[in-house]
Amino acid sequence: MSESLHPDCPQEAVPVKVNRVFDSCSDKDCLTGVVVRLEGCELPPHSTFVKTKCVSIRDVCISVEPVPFNRGFYSIDLTYTFDVDLLVSEHACEPGMPLHGTATAAKTCILYGSESATKTFSSSGACTGHTNHCCNIVNLPVASVQVVDPVVLEAKIGRGHCKCAAGEAEMPHRSVILTLGLFSIVELSRPVTVLVPTYPYTVPTKACCANSDSPCQVFSRLQFPAEEFSPTPLEATGNQEGCGCDGS
């Protein structure tokens, strides 16, 4: 094999269309005062204890707007929608009654997304920067957010506001109020054309096979999970900042 065809040597640079990330940020947010909008609007009248079973992210609404007098920078408004499953009870030792609701929380960040005054049209029908208004081009970068389901730091019963039906004003009611810890990464990107080195095409050497062993044969090859039967003490984890009680 000649040197130019060696699989570890690039042959040439070719143009590739990619989404380049111009700016990004990572956040660890503590969201306080998040009011849960329950199905049925209000808590049962005698409930005094609440705990969360599950809080998950249903959707994130993202809005991108240019920052005035700061060219190339954009304000990204994020609105998180959470699905919330709760257990409420009248006394602490009673089995809780399951309730379901939703909650929302918002945040804003500012990132650099560069500028572009081009209009892009493709055969698929997609277009970028076209507003149907003469001499008006709005070519915004694309914002994306990566987020994991939140950590519930606190759940309590307090006074919140609820709009039970469309058109009604928000009225104060007994509500479940959450404090959530949320980890996220926000990025601003644009499509660009870049040159990248290429390598020869390769064929996988791993053969495709179907496992014909019996379930017991597959199970016999699994290692015994000894670590599941041996709880790890705190000092072995390397985390010496565990919580404790102050005896004073």
Side-chain angles (χ1 to χ4, degrees):
M1 180 181 294
S2 65
E3 183 178 354
S4 61
L5 296 180
H6 192 278
D8 294 331
C9 297
Q11 292 180 331
E12 60 177 339
V14 297
V16 176
K17 197 77 170 179
V18 298
N19 286 324
R20 175 185 170 182
V21 177
F22 280 83
D23 201 3
S24 62
C25 65
S26 61
D27 270 334
K28 184 172 69 172
D29 296 304
C30 184
L31 307 175
T32 60
V34 179
V35 179
V36 181
R37 298 178 182 272
L38 297 170
E39 295 178 351
C41 191
E42 193 169 5
L43 282 169
H46 300 294
S47 57
T48 55
F49 292 88
V50 61
K51 66 178 181 179
T52 57
K53 289 181 59 180
C54 177
V55 178
S56 61
I57 297 176
R58 178 200 297 178
D59 191 20
V60 183
C61 180
I62 306 174
S63 174
V64 181
E65 295 290 340
V67 176
F69 311 113
N70 205 349
R71 296 182 59 179
F73 285 85
Y74 299 83
S75 173
I76 303 103
D77 297 319
L78 306 172
T79 302
Y80 299 100
T81 301
F82 305 98
D83 281 324
V84 184
D85 289 318
L86 304 167
L87 291 174
V88 297
S89 60
E90 185 175 350
H91 302 289
C93 296
E94 290 181 348
M97 181 179 69
L99 294 177
H100 180 77
T102 59
T104 59
K107 66 166 293 181
T108 299
C109 58
I110 295 177
L111 295 175
Y112 178 76
S114 187
E115 291 183 297
S116 177
T118 63
K119 296 180 180 180
T120 303
F121 302 86
S122 65
S123 58
S124 66
C127 60
T128 303
H130 186 60
T131 62
N132 293 322
H133 294 284
C134 183
C135 299
N136 187 14
I137 299 174
V138 180
N139 191 343
L140 297 174
V142 175
S144 62
V145 56
Q146 302 175 57
V147 64
V148 296
D149 285 337
V151 179
V152 180
L153 304 175
E154 184 185 43
K156 63 182 180 181
I157 295 176
R159 304 296 291 182
H161 289 77
C162 176
K163 184 185 294 184
C164 297
E168 290 188 3
E170 291 194 349
M171 300 295 294
H173 289 276
R174 293 175 70 244
S175 303
V176 176
I177 301 175
L178 303 178
T179 299
L180 303 176
L182 193 64
F183 297 93
S184 63
I185 296 177
V186 184
E187 297 176 334
L188 274 186
S189 61
R190 286 185 182 275
V192 296
T193 302
V194 297
L195 289 175
V196 298
T198 61
Y199 295 82
Y201 291 107
T202 181
V203 176
T205 57
K206 181 179 178 180
C208 300
C209 61
N211 192 346
S212 59
D213 294 340
S214 68
C216 288
Q217 288 175 319
V218 174
F219 180 73
S220 67
R221 290 195 292 270
L222 298 179
Q223 293 184 352
F224 189 86
E227 65 278 1
E228 299 295 335
F229 295 87
S230 303
T232 304
L234 177 62
E235 58 270 15
T237 66
N239 181 8
Q240 301 300 325
E241 299 181 358
C243 295
C245 297
D246 188 355
S248 59

